[in-house]
Amino acid sequence: MALSPLDSPKPVPNAAKTITAKAKALTLSNNAASSPSTHASTPSSDGPQDLSEQLNDQVRRKYVQGGRLGEGTYAIVYSGHLVSDPSTLVAIKKIKVNAEYKDGLAMDAVREVKHLQELSHPNIIKLHAVFSTRDQNLNLVLEHLPLGDLETLWRNKDVSYGPADIKAWAGMLARAVWFCHENFVLHRDIKGNNLLIAADGSVKLADFGLARSFADPYTKMSCNVITRFYRPPELLYGTRHYGGAVDVWSMGVVIAELALREFFLPSETEIEQLDRIAEVFGSPTEENWPGVSKLDNYVPAAKENLKRPQPLMYWKQRFGMLGDEGIDLIRYMCKLDPRSRATARQVLEHPYWMAAPRPTPKEKLPRNAGGARKMAEDLKRKGGEVEGEGRADKVARKLDFSALKR
Amino acid sequence: MRLTEDEIYRSSTQYRLWSYTADALQSLRSSTNASAAQRVKAAVKRQREARRESAYNSDAEKRVNGTDSGAVTPAITDKEVECLTVEEEQKIVNAFCGQAIALGQFLEFPINVVATGVQYLKRFYLFNSPMTYEPKVIMPSAMFLATKTEIFHMTAENFASRLPNTTAEQVLAPEYLITQALRFTFDVRHPFRGLNGGHMEMAAMANGKAAVLPSANKTPANLQQAMLKLPLEPNGSSSSMNVRAVEKRLGEATAKASKTLKTAALLTDVYFLYTPSQIWLAAYLLADEVLTLFYISSKFEDEADPSTPSGISKSKVIATVRACAAMLASHTSMAHATEDEIKALEKKEAEEVKAIQRKLHYCRDPDKMDLVKLNKAQKRDAGTDGKLEESKAKRRKLEREKNEKEADEFWGPELPKENVTGK
Amino acid sequence: MSRTAQRNGATSKRLAEDGDICPVCKSSRYLNPNMRFLVNPECYHKMCESCVDRIFSHGPAPCPIAGCRRTLRKARFRTQTFEDIQVEREVDIRRRVAKVFNKREDDFMTLKNYNDYLEQIETITWNLINREDVEETERKMAAYAEENRKEIARNESTAIQEALSRKAREAEELELAQMKREDARQEDEVERRRKADARKGVVNTQAKSGDDAASIAREGQKVVLKKSLARRAALEKQRDSDPFSSGTENGEASSGFTFTGLKKRVAPPPEKPYDPFGGWSVQREYFVLQNHYDWDWLSQARTNVAHTTGGYDVNDYCTRALCDAFSGFGVFIEDEMAGKNVGSTPSIATAAATVVAGGKADMHMDDVF
């Protein structure tokens, strides 16, 4: 009887419970005490389960759900492993059916499942299986990525890393984005804490909650995507037609953060974000970005605080770790005009990757203390949520005295 | 890893999970039908026993209190329930796919939303039978799910309001079943964009500006010349047209093919048996055979039976496209007949469907009649079953947060620790 | 005369025994206690330091001891480590020979080969010690040394590596940790200074100075970080420096020494150049993308400002359209699915049917996903 582990001496508690519950729930009016069809008991007059339900149970029984790792508004993450081979660890992300979303399955759950089912690449998180449990929640069986994410890595003071490590991580990130764009998928939420580190040290792009496929001409797309720190200027100006360049900008900011070990363009509001961008890259004008004045939220900078792009000295001083080619690549990825910005393929064809120092092999990359607790934090976060959004931040804004003119 | 167009398609779930050989499809449908028939018969028998018992003890009560109710319990016919056959199931499913397309047009949905909805419906009825779940209930829910996966936002109320007497809940109830039946694969690859791509490349060829495959060793110029001299009818005499005429011919063929893709392709099983590239080429073949064969051969050298560097033989491609075209042509809407003949055909089909629906009325699975109630029960069961403390814990957490928020409004938020000690 | 000479001889013998008389200048340790004797490995004649300075400081000169015509150099003189001059000479010869023939056991296939090798080395050393055809052996040794310079260097470095005792390595790690602590301390101090400036900054708006304290602090922090990083990188480079050269193992035909059973030392494959695409590549099999398709439906999107400024690239759409046009062009579901399906879906169906019909079905199924 290969199918059900129920006969195994140590019946897994919750599997057994769900089976009997399922039987009771489904056969509402049917009072036949027929236990689920898999039991070799008296031939039940009718198998209460549809074929698809049996398939679903088939998948569900392949995984044993372990302890709860973490919980967020969007999902609860459990550790787990294969029944057949307890050494292969997995993370089970149970998407919550949030009450106020009255339209059934949440949009970002649909998006995440849809795109993760299609993409399989060593630098993109692997979706092993999907199943639903009795309470109609979606469970995603994802790869086990215990070593935290890139943001906690550069925040973590006792982890020290050099230019070669940065090049290795940046390379993996660039490959993941390139693969998405070759499959005509926009990730639209690339940031430090969506890049999780696997046990073997490779970086994996996760959280496809905001992803969508490339749009056909004349179809509008949402401009309220990507976490603010990593949002390119064209989205801040509210464009509804954009392409892969939005992901390339976010990637540039992430690599810059790796070199700086602090946020590259932090801001409180979208206006301030535009100022931070202007400080570094100069104010967007018709010269450096033809047609920008026609975008909806564009506000031409007043004559006196028209900012000029930072000189090379600024870059050399702040981004010494990247070397000259690295600086050139970052500036190529963060051009104001999306058309002159690098595409994902051009990023990978840049000489930076070939220049010395050679990227460190992934086994030798420095590691986070990490552990399962950390993984839960990363997996359960919903797209667009910056970690520091605790109540204290809001408090600071309320008590802002500087606004009161003396 | 080499990412060619075929590799990209082979990594899709449509190829991995939803592609079947013809007989595999047939055997899957027949087994689904068989299992559903079994369940219906069992359920109906159980229900009759239940009714007979309730009728029996209600008689006993009446006898006990001496009153004999006028209404004699209806003679419970023990006639064996007559279930649908596989063909009938197919007919009714196709009928509802047609209705789905009509609904899509009525609600002005873009074509990829309608097409995805129809495919969800067909995939759902691969593993379930109309006897278990009524297509009338499943179809709107499949269309609503398609609006979500194809990013065409619409709230459930708005969707339900535009449908005759359906509530949002009725639309959402079967969604869980559909996602499960789809085995959580929401991506459907359509041939529409492929048709546009093909049209673009052929237009470029007509203008002599086509970028030619290195392996096919042709020059844009002689491609253009050959194209201008293409006969109108297969093995007809070669015509001599100028570029404008060829472009007009392209336009017509593309329009015809597009119509085919929007009707016949959705209502037949081509999505399960062929790939999107072969589907749009088949539709183009039906629209303009000579042009399609010319286009396909432009991808190969000019030998007898050439094949691409990776070993795909031209004759095999053409044979597959022809088979797919045959399947598309088999659909009534494509029948080469006069207007009223098609009308008569469609009327006859409509009657058949009505007959099947009447028959279906009797052989529906009593358990699954009301999905909304079933859903609620399932959720409640899930809730009562060992998850009780969890929801209580959640309620407590919500309360705590609520009165925290109230405290905020009244007292204003507590001062962040840092400022206090900072001074 | 003879008695005094004898006494001198005796005293010199007795003194010589405890080495107190310099044979060249006859000054004795008794008169000047801190006299040190030096010996030269050429002819192993002993003399006092002052004589060496006197004679050899103007460049190489013949040995002052009567009858020895060797030219000696000042630099080569050293204090004598062994009492017996013979032992001193033998040790020098053995050291020199071992320096050239420094193969190790794991360079040989079997222990026997290694032992044969050692025996050959011993015969060479013995010849040198007993001064048998010294020139021949010296020439061959020089030739061998010349040929296997890289090999010898590598053996030497591995020997040093192992020789580096655990204590030395621990000392080094200690230094690394200490440096890290110092970094951390500096960073905290910079952080505190930055916070103080930031607080000061909030109180008096810094309209006046162009770049605020924070960026200076960040510069300071940057400079600190860069210095410590440089130091750490240097240290790491020195620790695992590995003059590993892929010297190929070649025979020593000309130098006459042939050692059997040497393991073939395969040099590690030269590292492949780094492939930024990680082994993945995109090849279009059925179409070549043109940079311009003039199709009126598309041309508006090329010119419409809302599309172009936002970065919408019509060529992306063309690539996707053509890729969709040919995705699956060469995929024949009929044959590719023939094998696969029999395995999974129908078996689910048939199994499901039997299960429903009450029969116990052994629903083994390969991985659905």
Side-chain angles (χ1 to χ4, degrees):
Chain A
M1 240 311 278
L3 176 70
S4 146
L6 288 183
D7 315 334
S8 61
K10 183 177 65 44
V12 177
N14 43 28
K17 194 170 56 184
T18 44
I19 292 292
T20 43
K22 173 172 282 302
K24 187 155 61 64
L26 270 181
T27 54
L28 253 172
S29 58
N30 160 9
N31 44 34
S34 72
S35 61
S37 56
T38 52
H39 265 267
S41 61
T42 56
S44 64
S45 56
D46 66 325
Q49 293 180 325
D50 324 342
L51 203 50
S52 50
E53 227 157 301
Q54 278 162 10
L55 285 177
N56 183 42
D57 286 355
Q58 196 83 54
V59 170
R60 185 157 50 81
R61 269 196 227 98
K62 278 174 65 173
Y63 297 96
V64 170
Q65 189 169 301
R68 178 200 291 249
L69 292 178
E71 177 169 355
T73 49
Y74 168 57
I76 311 170
V77 179
Y78 299 89
S79 74
H81 57 78
L82 270 175
V83 167
S84 54
D85 165 16
S87 65
T88 47
L89 296 172
V90 284
I92 300 177
K93 182 175 175 179
K94 183 176 189 147
I95 313 269
K96 280 194 196 163
V97 180
N98 31 35
E100 83 282 358
Y101 186 76
K102 314 174 280 329
D103 290 349
L105 207 51
M107 264 310 284
D108 35 30
V110 166
R111 280 198 179 115
E112 176 138 31
V113 171
K114 171 179 173 184
H115 289 291
L116 281 184
Q117 293 266 32
E118 301 301 318
L119 301 169
S120 89
H121 183 272
N123 293 117
I124 292 181
I125 191 168
K126 183 100 183 57
L127 175 66
H128 293 303
V130 185
F131 60 86
S132 60
T133 47
R134 255 181 320 35
D135 47 18
Q136 304 195 353
N137 277 359
L138 210 58
N139 289 313
L140 276 64
V141 180
L142 292 160
E143 225 178 321
H144 187 67
L145 303 171
L147 294 182
D149 59 278
L150 273 193
E151 188 172 323
T152 37
L153 201 66
W154 62 253
R155 276 179 196 268
N156 180 349
K157 277 293 166 259
D158 52 27
V159 170
S160 71
Y161 53 77
D165 309 325
I166 294 179
K167 188 176 283 191
W169 287 319
M172 291 188 232
L173 165 61
R175 275 196 291 280
V177 173
W178 170 72
F179 184 76
C180 285
H181 289 186
E182 285 300 333
N183 284 280
F184 309 109
V185 169
L186 289 173
H187 183 273
R188 299 197 305 179
D189 194 10
I190 290 172
K191 57 182 176 180
N193 49 31
N194 276 347
L195 290 158
L196 309 182
I197 302 171
D200 67 354
S202 60
V203 163
K204 308 247 176 186
L205 182 57
D207 196 347
F208 279 71
L210 289 168
R212 65 159 289 158
S213 55
F214 280 29
D216 293 344
Y218 315 115
T219 46
K220 286 193 170 6
M221 296 198 266
S222 142
C223 63
N224 183 9
V225 281
I226 301 182
T227 311
R228 197 181 47 253
F229 292 5
Y230 309 88
R231 194 177 301 165
E234 65 263 25
L235 287 183
L236 291 164
Y237 283 144
T239 179
R240 303 300 298 276
H241 302 282
Y242 51 83
V246 294
D247 281 344
V248 173
W249 172 283
S250 320
M251 193 164 46
V253 175
V254 166
I255 298 174
E257 275 173 10
L258 278 177
L260 279 174
R261 297 200 75 152
E262 61 180 21
F263 284 124
F264 178 38
L265 301 164
S267 71
E268 292 285 331
T269 65
E270 296 192 1
I271 320 282
E272 193 189 335
Q273 183 70 31
L274 281 168
D275 292 346
R276 298 303 285 256
I277 293 175
E279 267 161 39
V280 177
F281 299 102
S283 311
T285 57
E286 280 295 326
E287 294 84 32
N288 53 29
W289 186 355
V292 70
S293 51
K294 309 232 176 9
L295 289 177
D296 317 354
N297 317 356
Y298 177 69
V299 169
K303 268 293 149 287
E304 70 283 2
N305 53 25
L306 189 67
K307 295 195 179 67
R308 296 187 33 70
Q310 294 285 358
L312 195 55
M313 255 325 293
Y314 162 88
W315 291 91
K316 280 213 162 38
Q317 214 176 16
R318 297 195 68 192
F319 296 96
M321 288 253 261
L322 294 176
D324 294 346
E325 290 86 6
I327 290 174
D328 176 59
L329 175 61
I330 293 286
R331 298 177 73 182
Y332 187 23
M333 287 164 82
C334 294
K335 282 254 187 317
L336 285 176
D337 180 359
R339 277 165 308 200
S340 55
R341 207 177 292 162
T343 66
R345 173 195 292 272
Q346 282 161 346
V347 164
L348 285 174
E349 283 160 353
H350 191 272
Y352 169 64
W353 309 111
M354 288 310 181
R358 191 185 167 84
T360 37
K362 60 181 184 209
E363 313 76 33
K364 294 209 185 70
L365 281 170
R367 293 182 173 223
N368 230 330
R373 181 85 22 223
K374 186 86 224 56
M375 182 173 76
E377 298 309 315
D378 321 321
L379 282 182
K380 65 175 175 36
R381 230 190 332 278
K382 187 169 170 307
E385 219 178 282
V386 178
E387 202 159 351
E389 297 282 343
R391 280 179 60 227
D393 290 10
K394 291 192 193 60
V395 167
R397 212 172 300 128
K398 275 191 199 151
L399 297 177
D400 182 2
F401 295 118
S402 62
L404 310 171
K405 285 287 165 283
R406 285 270 179 287
Chain B
M1 245 300 276
R2 244 162 48 92
L3 270 183
T4 65
E5 300 90 325
D6 289 345
E7 281 323 309
I8 288 180
Y9 183 69
R10 284 204 176 90
S11 69
S12 73
T13 47
Q14 179 160 328
Y15 173 79
R16 282 185 286 127
L17 294 178
W18 296 104
S19 300
Y20 299 96
T21 54
D23 43 28
L25 203 59
Q26 193 49 31
S27 72
L28 180 56
R29 283 185 172 139
S30 49
S31 64
T32 313
N33 178 281
S35 65
Q38 287 287 341
R39 289 174 53 178
V40 167
K41 288 199 181 79
V44 168
K45 191 147 38 45
R46 258 198 326 285
Q47 202 138 44
R48 283 200 188 121
E49 276 144 22
R51 231 178 283 123
R52 198 167 297 120
E53 260 154 36
S54 59
Y56 175 71
N57 39 39
S58 66
D59 289 355
E61 273 149 32
K62 275 203 273 327
R63 218 164 296 106
V64 160
N65 46 37
T67 57
D68 184 2
S69 71
V72 173
T73 50
I76 298 138
T77 53
D78 270 356
K79 189 164 66 52
E80 189 53 42
V81 173
E82 202 219 332
C83 291
L84 295 184
T85 66
V86 184
E87 294 68 30
E88 285 166 346
E89 278 189 349
Q90 271 323 101
K91 278 208 176 56
I92 195 156
V93 168
N94 278 349
F96 273 92
C97 288
Q99 274 196 8
I101 295 178
L103 174 70
Q105 270 144 12
F106 167 66
L107 298 174
E108 297 117 20
F109 283 169
I111 182 59
N112 59 346
V113 174
V114 174
T116 308
V118 169
Q119 284 313 310
Y120 284 166
L121 204 55
K122 287 176 89 69
R123 290 181 181 177
F124 180 85
Y125 281 112
L126 266 189
F127 285 95
N128 298 295
S129 151
M131 291 186 278
T132 329
Y133 299 106
E134 248 213 291
K136 190 158 61 64
V137 171
I138 300 294
M139 189 267 280
S141 182
M143 289 304 278
F144 181 64
L145 183 61
T147 61
K148 279 199 249 183
T149 52
E150 294 296 326
I151 310 177
F152 186 79
H153 292 298
M154 186 180 246
T155 61
E157 278 78 18
N158 177 351
F159 182 78
S161 62
R162 300 169 73 175
L163 295 182
N165 59 50
T166 37
T167 68
E169 229 185 4
Q170 275 170 336
V171 171
L172 292 179
E175 186 175 63
Y176 162 69
L177 279 171
I178 299 178
T179 38
Q180 196 177 47
L182 289 176
R183 284 153 68 188
F184 308 102
T185 56
F186 299 115
D187 186 33
V188 181
R189 304 284 170 108
H190 295 296
F192 309 116
R193 197 178 292 110
L195 175 65
N196 286 349
H199 175 81
M200 267 195 314
E201 192 165 44
M202 278 189 260
M205 270 187 205
N207 295 310
K209 289 206 288 299
V212 182
L213 281 176
S215 61
N217 56 43
K218 292 188 168 68
T219 63
N222 63 30
L223 266 181
Q224 183 182 21
Q225 297 320 328
M227 205 165 179
L228 296 181
K229 289 203 293 300
L230 278 180
L232 285 174
E233 291 311 317
N235 49 46
S237 64
S238 79
S239 67
S240 70
M241 309 160 96
N242 57 30
V243 175
R244 275 303 139 275
V246 172
E247 270 172 358
K248 199 166 74 56
R249 177 179 179 175
L250 275 179
E252 283 153 17
T254 306
K256 238 184 280 172
S258 170
K259 196 171 89 52
T260 319
L261 289 183
K262 291 191 171 107
T263 51
L266 297 180
L267 299 173
T268 55
D269 291 340
V270 282
Y271 272 73
F272 294 127
L273 304 172
Y274 300 99
T275 70
S277 163
Q278 287 152 2
I279 295 172
W280 81 264
L281 281 169
Y284 221 84
L285 192 85
L286 293 176
D288 187 332
E289 177 160 353
V290 176
L291 203 54
T292 320
L293 295 182
F294 167 79
Y295 183 54
I296 293 178
S297 49
S298 73
K299 299 292 168 187
F300 295 90
E301 291 114 350
D302 290 340
E303 313 137 8
D305 179 9
S307 61
T308 63
S310 63
I312 310 289
S313 90
K314 176 170 130 178
S315 52
K316 190 152 182 42
V317 168
I318 291 181
T320 319
V321 170
R322 281 197 193 289
C324 182
M327 174 169 268
L328 285 177
S330 66
H331 189 261
T332 48
S333 66
M334 300 294 292
H336 292 291
T338 59
E339 214 37 54
D340 44 26
E341 263 159 13
I342 293 182
K343 275 236 165 354
L345 257 172
E346 265 151 13
K347 207 157 64 54
K348 191 165 71 59
E349 262 178 22
E351 268 131 33
E352 270 169 31
V353 169
K354 263 202 191 37
I356 299 170
Q357 263 179 327
R358 269 195 304 284
K359 185 176 167 191
L360 176 61
H361 182 67
Y362 289 105
C363 61
R364 277 216 312 258
D365 187 337
D367 303 344
K368 300 289 163 62
M369 214 76 84
D370 182 349
L371 285 177
V372 176
K373 194 150 54 64
L374 191 68
N375 250 342
K376 281 213 193 66
Q378 219 165 20
K379 285 218 179 83
R380 203 180 56 248
D381 265 339
T384 54
D385 197 53
K387 291 274 190 317
L388 217 52
E389 342 63 59
E390 199 175 307
S391 47
K392 269 212 202 71
K394 198 169 291 159
R395 218 172 297 119
R396 269 197 302 278
K397 190 151 87 57
L398 284 180
E399 255 123 41
R400 214 176 339 115
E401 263 152 25
K402 197 156 47 54
N403 40 40
E404 249 170 35
K405 207 146 50 37
E406 270 136 27
D408 270 5
E409 264 99 32
F410 190 67
W411 296 107
E414 6 109 342
L415 290 176
K417 300 200 194 28
E418 192 210 338
N419 294 15
V420 172
T421 54
K423 289 280 167 315
Chain C
M1 204 329 256
S2 66
R3 199 179 304 104
T4 54
Q6 196 200 6
R7 201 180 321 95
N8 277 357
T11 52
S12 68
K13 191 165 63 54
R14 198 168 68 259
L15 284 176
E17 263 121 29
D18 42 32
D20 284 356
I21 295 264
C22 163
V24 174
C25 59
K26 301 295 187 287
S27 60
S28 89
R29 191 187 286 279
Y30 183 72
L31 294 175
N32 120 38
N34 50 25
M35 185 175 74
R36 270 187 334 118
F37 285 93
L38 296 175
V39 75
N40 191 309
E42 289 295 322
C43 56
Y44 290 98
H45 288 139
K46 193 177 65 176
M47 56 197 77
C48 71
E49 221 175 349
S50 49
C51 298
V52 170
D53 292 345
R54 179 166 47 79
I55 300 166
F56 297 100
S57 49
H58 313 300
C63 175
I65 309 293
C68 165
R69 284 171 313 289
R70 297 275 179 79
T71 53
L72 305 176
R73 281 172 186 70
K74 185 173 187 310
R76 304 265 300 158
F77 276 88
R78 65 176 196 275
T79 52
Q80 193 175 348
T81 43
F82 295 98
E83 192 50 39
D84 175 350
I85 203 69
Q86 280 311 328
V87 167
E88 179 87 19
R89 181 170 165 276
E90 183 168 339
V91 162
D92 283 349
I93 292 174
R94 284 192 181 285
R95 186 179 297 122
R96 193 152 52 87
V97 167
K99 203 164 180 320
V100 171
F101 298 101
N102 58 4
K103 287 202 184 329
R104 298 142 47 76
E105 192 188 346
D106 52 24
D107 292 345
F108 287 84
M109 304 288 252
T110 61
L111 190 59
K112 184 184 174 317
N113 296 332
Y114 184 53
N115 291 342
D116 297 350
Y117 163 76
L118 288 181
E119 209 181 315
Q120 268 179 304
I121 302 305
E122 196 46 36
T123 40
I124 296 169
T125 326
W126 198 246
N127 293 348
L128 286 177
I129 292 172
N130 301 338
R131 293 190 176 77
E132 279 140 17
D133 52 49
V134 170
E135 297 71 27
E136 175 55 16
T137 326
E138 285 290 354
R139 192 184 53 70
K140 271 203 259 179
M141 234 169 69
Y144 171 83
E146 186 44 42
E147 248 152 47
N148 299 295
R149 212 168 358 76
K150 284 205 283 302
E151 185 70 22
I152 293 169
R154 180 173 4 89
N155 288 343
E156 213 174 299
S157 73
T158 36
I160 291 170
Q161 207 74 46
E162 273 153 22
L164 201 67
S165 67
R166 175 191 312 278
K167 200 158 39 49
R169 212 168 274 137
E170 267 158 19
E172 196 189 287
E173 255 131 30
L174 203 66
E175 194 205 329
L176 205 65
Q178 196 256 337
M179 208 162 53
K180 210 176 280 178
R181 269 200 304 282
E182 186 209 317
D183 281 348
R185 196 183 49 69
Q186 267 174 1
E187 264 141 34
D188 295 348
E189 194 252 322
V190 161
E191 191 59 31
R192 219 174 339 90
R193 200 161 5 96
R194 203 159 70 85
K195 205 166 283 165
D197 300 345
R199 195 168 300 110
K200 203 153 56 314
V202 165
V203 171
N204 48 39
T205 49
Q206 302 123 356
K208 18 189 186 14
S209 72
D211 38 24
D212 57 18
S215 66
I216 304 171
R218 198 174 298 121
E219 256 53 283
Q221 184 190 25
K222 189 52 55 207
V223 168
V224 159
L225 247 183
K226 200 172 290 137
K227 254 207 302 354
S228 61
L229 274 183
R231 205 175 330 110
R232 188 166 313 131
L235 194 106
E236 242 129 33
K237 186 169 280 66
Q238 181 267 337
R239 184 150 54 87
D240 49 32
S241 67
D242 177 0
F244 199 84
S245 58
S246 59
T248 52
E249 183 58 48
N250 51 22
E252 310 87 354
S254 60
S255 72
F257 299 112
T258 55
F259 304 119
T260 59
L262 271 170
K263 245 189 255 170
K264 221 45 247 91
R265 178 179 291 285
V266 62
E271 274 185 312
K272 298 194 296 310
Y274 176 67
D275 170 16
F277 287 85
W280 292 68
S281 67
V282 169
Q283 259 111 26
R284 299 298 182 211
E285 221 173 334
Y286 301 116
F287 70 92
V288 172
L289 186 74
Q290 271 180 286
N291 35 39
H292 185 77
Y293 290 95
D294 42 29
W295 184 21
D296 44 28
W297 182 64
L298 267 186
S299 54
Q300 284 146 15
R302 269 188 234 282
T303 51
N304 167 320
V305 170
H307 280 70
T308 49
T309 17
Y312 186 85
D313 183 356
V314 172
N315 275 345
D316 283 352
Y317 175 74
C318 297
T319 326
R320 186 172 189 196
L322 282 162
C323 180
D324 272 12
F326 293 102
S327 70
F329 182 75
V331 173
F332 305 107
I333 306 284
E334 207 49 32
D335 349 339
E336 287 174 25
M337 280 302 161
K340 180 162 173 293
N341 270 35
V342 168
S344 62
T345 347
S347 78
I348 303 175
T350 41
T354 43
V355 159
V356 163
K360 182 163 68 57
D362 184 0
M363 275 236 293
H364 58 78
M365 188 172 60
D366 53 12
D367 184 1
V368 173
F369 276 84

